[in-house]
Amino acid sequence: MPSSNGGSKMTSDSKLDYPKASETLVRGGLYLYAGGLFLLIAFISPYWISSYDDAFSEFKNMGIWQYCFDGFRYPYYQFDKRFTGCNGIYSSEYYVIREWLLPGWLLFIQMSVTLAFIFSYSSQIILSGIVVRYPLQLVLTYEYLLTMVSFVLTAASAVLLMFAVLMFPLNCWRRDWLLYPLYNHLSFSYYFALIAFFFNNFLLCLQQESKRSWEHRKESRNLVMQMYPQNDRHTFNGY
């Protein structure tokens, strides 16, 4: 009986004796989480471009999903209709002028930011599992692979955001889009997307961590086999 308790205690202690996430990985994760917060605000807020207050423009502000007007009349619409308030770009309110509100370059920015958002948060979910070591067996076994997947997703997110933040200021003052473009200025949602892009560029540490995990994969395999001896023949046979 004593030997049984001693063996149980040893197994319990060995499960706690596993390598923690490195400081570089934790720091990189913090940068990515901060960038994800800025990206979330830029994604949902309608302030990529706004009109100056002194201009008293009928156009007020817009984001990639929403436009806000104050008595705006589209000159090429045959009926005398005024658009007032904030509505989604795909709402029925803007159905008659949606083709004008959503040119091809803005549609591309929508797609880029949406994919960047999905890739960024997918990377953060994977990275959070690596940092907290959950599930422990999976993380210790495939840490190098999970880190590399997180790196690839973050890199893809950074590239897509780069396209978005470069294309928007190059096109937002076009005269075939919003009327009187000189009355408008870039607003905080765009700058938040720009900040998110810079935060995503801290992904180099993920590549370094993936290489480090690959170099220590045999040590991790041996550690997992000691912690989970009942699964060593089945789970790690092809590792």
Side-chain angles (χ1 to χ4, degrees), residues 35 216 218:
H216 294 85
K218 289 185 178 180

Side-chain angles (χ1 to χ4, degrees), residues 39 42-43 45 48-49 62-65 67 89-90 101-118 157 159-174 177 186 189-190 193-194:
L39 180 57
F43 185 75
S45 58
W48 280 59
I49 191 170
M62 62 81 61
I64 59 174
W65 305 108
Y67 279 80
I89 197 170
Y90 292 105
L101 294 178
L102 192 61
W105 60 268
L106 184 56
L107 188 62
F108 178 80
I109 290 176
Q110 277 188 343
M111 180 190 68
S112 298
V113 176
T114 301
L115 290 176
F117 181 84
I118 294 172
S157 176
V159 171
L160 291 167
L161 280 177
M162 179 186 67
F163 286 135
V165 299
L166 285 178
M167 286 190 65
F168 190 78
L170 292 176
N171 292 275
C172 66
W173 285 290
R174 293 172 57 129
W177 185 42
L186 295 175
S189 296
Y190 169 79
L194 188 62

Side-chain angles (χ1 to χ4, degrees), residues 46 58-62 66-72 82-89 91 93-94 97 101:
E58 295 174 346
F59 164 75
K60 293 305 178 184
N61 53 273
M62 62 81 61
Q66 194 175 34
Y67 279 80
C68 297
F69 295 107
D70 184 14
F72 172 73
R82 289 181 176 271
F83 298 92
T84 300
C86 297
N87 293 279
I89 197 170
S91 65
E93 178 70 15
Y94 294 150
I97 59 173
L101 294 178

Side-chain angles (χ1 to χ4, degrees), residues 136-193:
L136 180 59
Q137 184 177 358
L138 178 66
V139 170
L140 292 181
T141 308
Y142 299 109
E143 182 176 1
Y144 71 95
L145 182 60
L146 293 172
T147 309
M148 180 55 68
V149 170
S150 182
F151 164 74
V152 171
L153 289 173
T154 308
S157 176
V159 171
L160 291 167
L161 280 177
M162 179 186 67
F163 286 135
V165 299
L166 285 178
M167 286 190 65
F168 190 78
L170 292 176
N171 292 275
C172 66
W173 285 290
R174 293 172 57 129
R175 293 187 177 275
D176 60 347
W177 185 42
L178 296 176
L179 304 180
Y180 310 110
L182 295 180
Y183 293 168
N184 304 327
H185 63 91
L186 295 175
S187 194
F188 73 87
S189 296
Y190 169 79
Y191 292 113
F192 276 19

Side-chain angles (χ1 to χ4, degrees), residues 192-221:
F192 276 19
L194 188 62
I195 294 172
F197 163 69
F198 284 118
F199 272 117
N200 274 270
N201 281 304
F202 288 101
L203 55 89
L204 184 61
C205 64
L206 296 181
Q207 186 182 28
Q208 295 172 346
E209 284 301 308
S210 179
K211 291 180 180 179
R212 184 191 62 80
S213 300
W214 173 259
E215 294 170 355
H216 294 85
R217 65 192 185 282
K218 289 185 178 180
E219 297 178 8
S220 298
R221 175 181 180 271

